[in-house]
Amino acid sequence: MYNPLKTVDLNKENPVILGIETSCDETAAAVIRGRKILSDEIASSASIQALYGGVVPEIASRAHTDYVAQVVENAVKKAGITYDDIDAVAVTYGAGLLGALLVGVSFAKAFAYALNKPLIAVNHIRGHLAAAYLDCPLLKPPFITLLSSGGHTAILHTKTESEFEILGATLDDAAGEAFDKVARVLGLQYPGGPNIERVAKDGQPVIAMPKMLKGGGGYNFSYSGLKTAVINYCHTKQQKNEPYSKADVAASFQCAAIDVLVEKTVAAAMEKGVKCVTAGGGVAANTYLRESLKAACEQRGLRLVLPEKRYCTDNAAMIAAEGLTQYRLGNFAPMTLTAKASIPLAATLETVQSRAARKENE
Ligand code: KG4
Ligand code: ZN
């Protein structure tokens, strides 16, 4: 009989959490003890996806099915623990590609059931926000978080480990999405972000880019105008048969896309009187962003906690880190848990469930 909550100790100082992440093209599993990473495994189908210029959902799902059991086993082995040592299994249940998520959720449910361990449903975005705790285990809110991934761009005021206020978000495309689309126009392979960064190293930000949403947009962002301007610039040059420097385009786009992120993040910290800034999501792996944010924080006397690059892009250690927060709150998931392609930015399973229950009662 599955009844893990009978024996769970919510006050255990450093619970061991197994994290599983399969929301996109990375099959990842990690083990943490408290906020210490014991192991962190990733198998990626990105090189196969690159052949198609982006993530093909069916290929991602099939790759997860092929890899997930081995990746979890490796993570447990490398952590130097036994299955019995695991206190809870945390899995990304949304947002992401439905078929891809389903593989992780189904595996985590079966795994938790077989071992009679509590199951925790993790919002992928909350995982990105929690990555900062792995970099700095003593980190305590409040802080301002810059979230910048392939699907989201937002500035959040993190008030406690589980409460966030969204100060602003993108009104259209996410920053990462803009990097990916611009990369495609420049003939660079998926994923676009790292390739734009590589090519931009040989260029200068000399091409005029449209003004990004500045003060008028509050802490909101808009990337569609910038993306369209770059696409138009390249197409016009191509139609006129005029040569242009891809490196300069990449550098100019990178500066425009990132300067606004840094500016608004620091402004939010100053306005809210918060002394610490963190960042998460794939775009936070960008070296120009990391250096600019570091310089801007230093200039204003703000402390910056920036997860290592590999913990900015998708990984399972961050899912386990958010799992730890939910563990401490006793927010466990039922065996009826299912994957969700879209959930509100900072929602937990609990908030999604109570909203659904409210709707049913209406
Ligand atoms: O957080 P993430 O790994 O997955 C999502 O949750 O979306 O973010 C992926 C996004 C992609 O759009 C990718 O191009 C971008 O992050 N990215 C970067 C860099 N590395 C990944 N963007 C700019 N510079 C990078 N070095
Ligand atoms: Zn992500």
Side-chain angles (χ1 to χ4, degrees):
M1 180 66 183
Y2 179 68
N3 190 4
L5 302 189
K6 219 172 166 182
T7 49
V8 72
D9 174 8
L10 295 185
N11 296 317
K12 186 168 181 180
E13 198 170 350
N14 289 312
V16 173
I17 314 275
L18 167 69
I20 300 174
E21 152 67 34
T22 64
S23 68
C24 191
D25 57 347
E26 250 100 39
T27 316
V31 177
I32 61 172
R33 177 177 280 129
R35 285 173 173 174
K36 187 176 181 324
I37 300 169
L38 301 185
S39 68
D40 171 33
E41 293 291 299
I42 297 187
S44 176
S45 61
S47 58
I48 309 169
Q49 310 286 0
L51 302 174
Y52 300 90
V55 178
V56 180
E58 183 62 18
I59 293 178
S61 311
R62 283 170 191 265
H64 290 314
T65 311
D66 287 347
Y67 302 152
V68 69
Q70 190 64 57
V71 169
V72 168
E73 195 181 324
N74 290 354
V76 172
K77 247 190 215 153
K78 288 197 183 163
I81 60 161
T82 64
Y83 289 150
D84 209 35
D85 295 323
I86 297 170
D87 290 302
V89 179
V91 63
T92 308
Y93 80 106
L97 303 170
L98 193 60
L101 287 163
L102 267 173
V103 178
V105 168
S106 308
F107 186 90
K109 279 176 19 178
F111 193 87
Y113 188 89
L115 296 173
N116 200 34
K117 303 287 181 187
L119 180 69
I120 300 171
V122 172
N123 174 338
H124 180 82
I125 292 304
R126 280 194 173 230
H128 277 303
L129 303 177
Y133 294 118
L134 299 173
D135 192 64
C136 177
L138 297 178
L139 177 66
K140 279 197 164 47
F143 44 82
I144 295 292
T145 305
L146 167 62
L147 165 71
S148 189
S149 69
H152 290 281
T153 301
I155 294 181
L156 299 103
H157 184 181
T158 302
K159 295 182 171 179
T160 70
E161 281 165 25
S162 58
E163 281 174 283
F164 311 90
E165 181 190 354
I166 300 167
L167 300 178
T170 182
L171 304 174
D172 39 56
D173 295 351
E177 198 179 344
F179 267 91
D180 293 335
K181 287 181 178 159
V182 166
R184 205 180 291 187
V185 174
L186 293 179
L188 302 172
Q189 267 199 337
Y190 170 85
N195 286 322
I196 294 233
E197 177 175 347
R198 179 177 49 78
V199 171
K201 282 197 186 108
D202 298 323
Q204 292 298 325
V206 289
I207 301 166
M209 292 287 153
K211 272 215 168 335
M212 299 293 287
L213 261 189
K214 290 273 164 80
Y219 297 115
N220 289 330
F221 302 96
S222 168
Y223 279 95
S224 75
L226 176 63
K227 177 195 70 187
T228 309
V230 177
I231 293 172
N232 287 345
Y233 176 88
C234 297
H235 284 172
T236 308
K237 290 283 181 192
Q238 285 158 6
Q239 275 160 5
K240 290 185 180 167
N241 253 337
E242 285 175 13
Y244 65 98
S245 159
K246 283 188 184 179
D248 286 349
V249 174
S252 307
F253 163 76
Q254 181 172 258
C255 277
I258 283 174
D259 288 350
V260 69
L261 294 175
V262 172
E263 229 171 82
K264 291 198 177 195
T265 303
V266 170
M270 300 312 282
E271 190 203 317
K272 297 287 170 193
V274 171
K275 292 269 162 265
C276 179
V277 166
T278 73
V283 183
N286 182 281
T287 306
Y288 175 70
L289 182 148
R290 299 172 77 84
E291 286 173 358
S292 308
L293 193 56
K294 190 162 171 259
C297 286
E298 266 171 22
Q299 205 184 17
R300 291 172 182 81
L302 298 167
R303 175 177 177 221
L304 174 64
V305 175
L306 201 47
E308 266 178 51
K309 289 184 181 187
R310 65 173 291 160
Y311 297 118
C312 290
T313 49
D314 288 351
N315 67 87
M318 69 181 197
I319 301 304
E322 171 59 14
L324 177 63
T325 299
Q326 298 302 322
Y327 179 99
R328 287 182 172 145
L329 293 169
N331 190 14
F332 299 111
M335 272 295 142
T336 51
L337 176 70
T338 186
K340 289 215 177 308
S342 102
I343 42 177
L345 189 112
T348 60
L349 179 66
E350 198 178 46
T351 55
V352 170
Q353 280 181 337
S354 44
R355 244 176 248 164
R358 261 206 312 277
K359 256 195 186 154
E360 260 169 37
N361 290 333
E362 270 168 17

